[in-house]
Amino acid sequence: MHYKSRLKHHSQNSYRLRSGCLALIPVAALLASCGSGSAPVANRIAVHGNGAAAIITANPFRLQIRSGAEESPVLSEVANTEPAPSRLPRTTDPIPPGIPAQHSAQLYAPLSFLVGSETITQKSNPIWLGDLKQGVESGIQYSARKVIAERQTRRGVILTLSTNDPSGRTLRVDIRPANGNLIHVSVTPQPAAGVVMMSDSFDSPPGEAFYGFGGRHNALNQHGNALVNWVSEENVPGLGQPGTPSGVLYPNGPTAAYYPQAQFISSAGYGFLLDQPQLSWFRMDSDHASEWSVAVSAASLNYYVAPDTPARAIADITAISGRQPAPPSWGLGPMLDREVKNFGDTSTLYDAQMEQDIANIKRYHLPLTAYRIEGFGFGTPNDNGFILPTRGTFAAQQHVVSQLLALGIHPLAYIRPWVAPGSAPDREGLTVKNASGKTYVTTGTLGQKIALLDFTNPAAVRWWGAELDKIFNMGFDGFEQDFGEEVMVGMHFYNGQAGATMHNEYDVLYMLATRDAMEAYEHSHPGRTLWFDNRAGFSGTPGSAAYEAANFPGDEATNWGQASGLASLTEDMLSRAIGGAYGYGTDIGGYSSYTTPCTTKRLFLRWAEWAVLSPVFRLHGAGGCGLHTPWSYDLQTVQVYDALSSLHEAAAPLILKLWQEADKTGIPPTRPLWLEFPGDPQAAAQTEEWALGEDVLVAPVVTEGATSASVYFPVGCWQDPQTGLTETGPKNAIVSAPLTNLPYFFRCGTHPF
């Protein structure tokens, strides 16, 4: 499907819906017929899909979702006590410098809405351009009362609800089955004028766990936390007020994410997807111990519920939110990046470093399937209008490309959607505008003036595709696709939307444009297989995962920390994996060295060990310190890294097989233990282990100075293929883990790789 068709499909949310059966009846007399027309409002209204049902109490209104033939609901709106209108005083959320408030004054009632005002302020600092700085809301909160009218449709029911808004405002609620096992709920106030936020609130049983939400670093289970869904630029540890600990992310706090997903899986037996790109909040039992809520800065509310076991709910949600397509086999081999230092690099130095890399790759026989030139350039005076970190000379770049191809190594480039103001693509109207229709000029991370390419403009998409073709024609088989977090609320797009709607949506269209350009090139060049990775993304129907090849998690800090260092990786990888983003590829050794020391040998090796049984094994470098190659330490580091590269090559066929299965089932290659071993509370508590498929248990060391590891072994027999050590679970055990060893285990009697 080419870009225009996909974009139309995406913008219209035209998903395939299997037929459902609707009954408008008291529960005591459920009817088994389907039809259309109208009927008096019943005390209970039931909407049935193939594996899900919505049960609506008419007066007072309350929605409950149940699975298949189950009598008890797995998700219920909070009881409708018909609360009076609630005044929301001037409330700040997020709180400067951009941290979500952990407690709110939100009205917990079925389908509440705020009539009043909201102001969103973003960071304009180049490093955090586009990040939330502050939100201010105020007004009156109203909520649903009862069903006053209903209309059957072929797919579900459309209800009119009265509210306690004295203006007489009503709510139009469309409830229907979707894809058989989902219930889709869409709510619009009538009239919508004046409504700045909508929310819904649900009961939460004791101990309910909430998993997912995209690339969050702070936890696997977000119970008790408030989370904002807003694509965020680099968050670094140790900044902010004097005394801020290095474990705290600045400026947006511990739950900030380059790659948020407004979707999650509950241990109570359902999955949830908020299908809206605007700023939104999840408050997961953070305001009240037994209630969670979702709120969105919009005059509408649109969500899906998948009532089923966690594994089936993951399958149902990712079937509409998207699953990263399996890459070419070489996209799972060891990779090396010649990164760009943000300060101090020259063309002469960069050219020499590339040639030295080639020499060392040959000298040490380093297993490698791809090498990326971050200092890539088009060989034109202005890089065809792009603003890129071009470092080397074009002649040296292309000489390295020819050497890589001769070695059987795939060359990779670097690209981002930054356009120079006044350049040809800007003059042709391909960039995002301000309210007056002029180019919206903002600032890049190093202070350069930039404009953003407008991926809602078909002409801009065609131009982007033509530029990617030029990269492929130079011999490159892909690239790192960077940035995408910089959309400001004051921006205006070709499709008529403003930045408040497009901030998160931008990355979905950015990935869609690239995926279509790559597929078109592959189609016209048989035998070429292409690959790219990106850092920013968002959910939707589908979200960016449907179009991506892999992700790098953002600018990880060169330390051991939970904020964004080595200890942050497992929770990030596993949280986004259950949302369909399977291709996690950390920057081995970390990238951001501006508030942390340069990568030590010990950190480098532990990081490489962590990455070796993750999907993408990619050595990057630090923006301040430069590339930390194995040969930049000592011979032992080279030998260990070489062995790890070979181990990853051995595991790659298994990873590819699991990824191909994931594209059908939604179950990721890298699995949190709570998913692979359901019903085991000790497994659910593990945040630094994962299962690679059914038969591999991975337990990397992420603690500085550790020479042993406490490993939880789930039920069954597990054997270390390196030492022969055998453990039978469920149990905890201390295992030896010297610096040169990664603790990993095979299920006894299996040989996965």
Side-chain angles (χ1 to χ4, degrees), residues 23 33 150 183 197 200 213 296 331 466 485 532 543 618 651 653 662 689 735:
S33 61
E150 51 77 17
I183 295 296
M197 185 178 296
D200 208 353
F213 304 96
V296 59
E485 306 92 351
F532 77 103
R618 184 179 65 95
E689 297 181 31
V735 301

Side-chain angles (χ1 to χ4, degrees), residues 90-151:
R90 190 178 188 274
T91 300
T92 302
D93 186 11
I95 302 167
I99 299 173
Q102 290 303 299
H103 299 285
S104 76
Q106 180 185 316
L107 175 63
Y108 277 71
L111 299 182
S112 62
F113 54 96
L114 175 67
V115 177
S117 65
E118 179 189 44
T119 302
I120 298 172
T121 305
Q122 293 171 277
K123 290 277 189 181
S124 57
N125 180 297
I127 299 177
W128 300 290
L129 183 68
D131 285 17
L132 289 173
K133 180 179 180 181
Q134 177 176 281
V136 177
E137 307 87 29
S138 65
I140 306 296
Q141 300 176 96
Y142 303 102
S143 59
R145 279 293 183 263
K146 65 180 180 179
V147 179
I148 56 175
E150 51 77 17
R151 177 169 62 86

Side-chain angles (χ1 to χ4, degrees), residues 176-476:
R176 61 180 65 184
N179 278 28
N181 299 320
L182 295 159
I183 295 296
H184 180 203
V185 179
S186 180
V187 186
T188 307
Q190 297 183 328
V195 175
V196 296
M197 185 178 296
M198 291 205 66
S199 63
D200 208 353
S201 308
F202 302 90
D203 288 337
S204 179
E208 183 174 11
F210 304 101
Y211 302 110
F213 304 96
R216 316 285 178 160
H217 297 177
N218 65 305
L220 284 181
N221 177 8
Q222 297 292 353
H223 179 97
N225 293 326
L227 302 98
V228 167
N229 299 304
W230 188 262
V231 173
S232 297
E233 170 66 281
E234 166 63 18
N235 278 260
V236 296
L239 293 181
Q241 297 297 323
T244 299
S246 62
V248 176
L249 279 178
Y250 180 88
N252 297 122
T255 62
Y258 286 98
Y259 197 110
Q261 291 176 310
Q263 60 193 71
F264 67 88
I265 303 297
S266 166
S267 63
Y270 64 91
F272 188 95
L273 166 65
L274 176 66
D275 187 22
Q276 289 179 260
Q278 298 93 343
L279 173 63
S280 60
W281 290 258
F282 284 116
R283 297 183 173 95
M284 312 314 295
D285 295 1
S286 59
D287 286 332
H288 309 287
S290 59
E291 297 171 336
W292 70 267
S293 72
V294 57
V296 59
S297 295
S300 61
L301 184 63
N302 187 29
Y303 62 79
Y304 291 83
V305 180
D308 216 321
T309 64
R312 291 182 61 87
I314 290 171
D316 293 336
I317 291 292
T318 58
I320 61 170
S321 66
R323 302 164 183 165
Q324 286 178 348
S329 58
W330 67 263
L332 294 177
M335 299 183 180
L336 172 64
D337 291 359
R338 169 45 64 184
E339 100 329 323
V340 167
K341 287 182 66 175
N342 284 330
F343 304 98
D345 268 349
T346 64
S347 293
T348 301
L349 177 60
Y350 197 82
D351 288 352
Q353 288 172 334
M354 290 192 294
E355 291 293 345
Q356 190 174 45
D357 287 342
I358 296 294
N360 282 319
I361 290 166
K362 294 176 180 178
R363 176 185 178 188
Y364 296 112
H365 306 288
L366 184 68
L368 211 61
T369 62
Y371 176 94
R372 187 174 68 85
I373 302 173
E374 186 165 272
F376 161 83
F378 283 91
T380 58
N382 64 354
D383 276 325
N384 298 351
F386 283 105
I387 295 179
L388 297 174
T390 302
R391 289 295 189 273
T393 63
F394 186 73
Q397 169 186 292
Q398 293 310 111
H399 179 59
V400 169
V401 168
S402 66
Q403 292 182 83
L404 292 170
L405 293 173
L407 292 169
I409 298 171
H410 295 263
L412 300 175
Y414 175 92
I415 198 73
R416 59 194 182 194
W418 293 4
V419 171
S423 63
D426 183 37
R427 294 194 305 272
E428 293 168 12
L430 307 184
T431 52
V432 177
K433 308 305 179 187
N434 59 25
S436 64
K438 304 294 184 181
T439 300
Y440 194 114
V441 178
T442 184
T443 308
T445 49
L446 298 182
Q448 63 273 63
K449 296 300 181 184
I450 66 170
L452 292 183
L453 197 63
D454 186 347
F455 288 103
T456 72
N457 184 341
V461 172
R462 289 192 297 271
W463 181 84
W464 174 260
E467 295 303 309
L468 298 191
D469 284 355
K470 294 174 185 176
I471 296 175
F472 303 142
N473 288 337
M474 292 178 194
F476 291 92

Side-chain angles (χ1 to χ4, degrees), residues 668-746:
T670 51
R671 303 167 187 176
L673 297 196
W674 65 260
L675 174 62
E676 187 63 23
F677 302 96
D680 182 343
Q682 285 185 281
Q686 305 309 309
T687 60
E688 293 295 349
E689 297 181 31
W690 68 87
L692 182 60
E694 299 177 352
D695 298 324
V696 183
L697 179 67
V698 188
V701 175
V702 297
T703 302
E704 184 175 11
T707 57
S708 63
S710 177
V711 178
Y712 177 70
F713 292 92
V715 65
C717 175
W718 300 92
Q719 186 173 57
D720 184 336
Q722 305 164 102
T723 66
L725 171 72
T726 299
E727 299 283 359
T728 300
K731 65 180 291 189
N732 284 289
I734 302 297
V735 301
S736 176
L739 177 61
T740 56
N741 278 37
L742 164 71
Y744 71 99
F745 307 87
F746 293 164

Side-chain angles (χ1 to χ4, degrees), residues 369-614:
T369 62
Y371 176 94
R372 187 174 68 85
I373 302 173
E374 186 165 272
F376 161 83
F378 283 91
T380 58
N382 64 354
D383 276 325
N384 298 351
F386 283 105
I387 295 179
L388 297 174
T390 302
R391 289 295 189 273
T393 63
F394 186 73
Q397 169 186 292
Q398 293 310 111
H399 179 59
V400 169
V401 168
S402 66
Q403 292 182 83
L404 292 170
L405 293 173
L407 292 169
I409 298 171
H410 295 263
L412 300 175
Y414 175 92
I415 198 73
R416 59 194 182 194
W418 293 4
V419 171
S423 63
D426 183 37
R427 294 194 305 272
E428 293 168 12
L430 307 184
T431 52
V432 177
K433 308 305 179 187
N434 59 25
S436 64
K438 304 294 184 181
T439 300
Y440 194 114
V441 178
T442 184
T443 308
T445 49
L446 298 182
Q448 63 273 63
K449 296 300 181 184
I450 66 170
L452 292 183
L453 197 63
D454 186 347
F455 288 103
T456 72
N457 184 341
V461 172
R462 289 192 297 271
W463 181 84
W464 174 260
E467 295 303 309
L468 298 191
D469 284 355
K470 294 174 185 176
I471 296 175
F472 303 142
N473 288 337
M474 292 178 194
F476 291 92
D477 287 331
F479 39 78
E480 177 181 289
Q481 183 158 304
D482 208 356
F483 290 94
E485 306 92 351
E486 302 81 12
V487 173
M488 307 295 285
V489 295
M491 290 181 172
H492 291 261
F493 287 77
Y494 181 87
N495 66 353
Q497 298 295 321
T501 298
M502 291 302 301
H503 179 87
N504 291 329
E505 182 77 359
Y506 185 83
D507 288 300
V508 181
L509 300 181
Y510 181 19
M511 305 311 148
L512 168 57
T514 297
R515 172 60 63 176
D516 274 350
M518 284 178 52
E519 289 183 354
Y521 192 91
E522 287 176 326
H523 181 74
S524 62
H525 294 77
R528 290 289 295 275
T529 55
L530 306 175
W531 181 91
F532 77 103
D533 64 344
N534 59 280
R535 74 178 186 187
F538 195 65
S539 50
T541 51
S544 58
Y547 312 120
E548 298 160 353
N551 302 139
F552 63 104
D555 296 345
E556 309 104 297
T558 54
N559 70 0
W560 300 82
Q562 176 70 42
S564 63
L566 178 59
S568 73
L569 304 180
T570 304
E571 289 164 327
D572 184 346
M573 176 179 72
L574 299 179
S575 294
R576 69 175 75 194
I578 64 170
Y582 310 133
Y584 192 85
T586 181
D587 296 339
I588 292 174
Y591 174 80
S592 178
S593 56
Y594 306 110
T595 62
T596 53
C598 294
T599 302
T600 63
K601 170 185 172 178
R602 184 174 294 274
L603 178 61
F604 176 83
L605 287 177
R606 287 303 194 195
W607 209 304
E609 290 168 7
W610 185 96
V612 71
L613 295 181
S614 71

Side-chain angles (χ1 to χ4, degrees), residues 69-89:
E70 296 293 327
E71 292 298 323
S72 299
V74 297
L75 181 63
S76 300
E77 286 181 321
V78 296
N80 194 339
T81 60
E82 301 184 282
S86 171
R87 180 177 178 270
L88 182 70

